Amino acid sequence: AQKITQTQPGMFVQEKEAVTLDCTYDTSDQSYGLFWYKQPSSGEMIFLIYQGSYDEQNATEGRYSLNFQKARKSANLVISASQLGDSAMYFCAMREGDNDYKLSFGAGTTVTVRA
Amino acid sequence: DSGVTQTPKHLITATGQRVTLRCSPRSGDLSVYWYQQSLDQGLQFLIQYYNGEERAKGNILERFSAQQFPDLHSELNLSSLELGDSALYFCASSVGSGIDTQYFGPGTRLTVL
């Protein structure tokens, strides 16, 4: 079974608008971490934001925020005030448990920001 | 720039050959992770080393092996290469071995002809 599901293969957003990227996860562990990474066309993977399963507040990093809904097992990324440089592939990832260190990635969502 | 370096950036080789990919983690990071990104399988975890010791293994083929050296750099060795091994190989590093964020290098793009 897929541990991370990203249902939106591609999205278009107008410059300066906000966009929400969906991510749902599947785990039976109580302790886990959720990550979002950005992969521009140049190929590198850039860490954006992290949410721990025990964190009560939603994580925020600049224009990035994570809408964490634990009961629904969702961890949506919100990018506010989109910029042309935000055009990229975005991956949601999860690390499960306290002894498993690998990241499981979703299939990714391509975001294209229009001027 | 994440601080993780990978060489070479691109590698083109033929089927049946052997290649070595190199990774230097961020200063102070003890863990190194290898991931493979391909069109058909997405991003897959291969293997993790922590302070020189293998800590976790994922979907790594027997033809592939890795090690982490005393200076903490790591090498991923791919042998008997097949066309399907063409992919982007990432190295990531983290401070410890648990909940720390993994920072990725720029990747090595391997093309097997």
Side-chain angles (χ1 to χ4, degrees):
Chain A
Q2 285 285 351
K3 290 184 181 292
I4 295 286
T5 302
Q6 295 180 254
T7 57
Q8 307 151 309
M11 298 184 71
F12 290 94
V13 59
Q14 206 63 31
E15 198 177 10
K16 298 180 186 175
E17 292 186 351
V19 61
T20 298
L21 308 184
D22 295 341
C23 172
T24 57
Y25 58 91
D26 181 26
T27 181
S28 56
D29 283 305
Q30 296 302 308
S31 175
Y32 52 90
L34 297 156
F35 301 80
W36 279 91
Y37 288 85
K38 171 184 177 181
Q39 186 175 37
S41 57
S42 50
E44 72 268 31
M45 292 285 286
I46 302 167
F47 165 70
L48 295 178
I49 197 166
Y50 165 78
Q51 179 85 41
S53 59
Y54 295 118
D55 295 341
E56 295 187 353
Q57 304 273 358
N58 285 341
T60 60
E61 287 285 349
R63 294 186 298 110
Y64 304 108
S65 60
L66 201 152
N67 184 1
F68 181 46
Q69 297 186 46
K70 196 169 181 177
R72 300 178 67 179
K73 293 191 174 178
S74 76
N76 298 339
L77 177 71
V78 180
I79 306 174
S80 61
S82 295
Q83 302 171 356
L84 295 178
D86 294 334
S87 294
M89 179 83 93
Y90 290 82
F91 290 95
C92 181
M94 176 172 64
R95 176 201 52 78
E96 296 177 85
D98 293 321
N99 297 306
D100 189 351
Y101 313 115
K102 71 176 186 295
L103 292 176
S104 300
F105 285 85
T109 296
T110 301
V111 171
T112 304
V113 181
R114 289 171 164 159
Chain B
D1 187 344
S2 67
V4 180
T5 61
Q6 287 188 248
T7 55
K9 193 169 176 60
H10 300 278
L11 199 48
I12 301 174
T13 188
T15 54
Q17 295 298 304
R18 173 189 169 95
V19 298
T20 297
L21 312 184
R22 185 189 167 103
C23 166
S24 292
R26 297 185 318 158
S27 177
D29 285 0
L30 298 179
S31 272
V32 168
Y33 309 77
W34 287 97
Y35 292 85
Q36 178 195 60
Q37 185 179 30
S38 61
L39 284 174
D40 54 343
Q41 298 203 23
L43 270 155
Q44 301 249 337
F45 167 74
L46 296 179
I47 197 163
Q48 179 208 357
Y49 280 82
Y50 174 74
N51 205 18
E53 293 188 4
E54 183 184 303
R55 186 57 70 96
K57 224 169 184 176
N59 300 322
I60 187 166
L61 300 171
E62 285 192 13
R63 301 183 285 108
F64 296 0
S65 64
Q67 53 184 326
Q68 186 179 28
F69 295 86
D71 67 352
L72 301 177
H73 91 271
S74 178
E75 292 181 357
L76 179 67
N77 300 296
L78 315 176
S79 62
S80 303
L81 285 167
E82 302 174 359
L83 296 177
D85 297 328
S86 295
L88 188 52
Y89 290 84
F90 285 108
C91 166
S93 74
S94 66
V95 173
S97 187
I99 65 172
D100 308 295
T101 295
Q102 295 178 28
Y103 292 91
F104 283 69
T108 293
R109 184 167 295 283
L110 173 67
T111 304
V112 182
L113 301 174

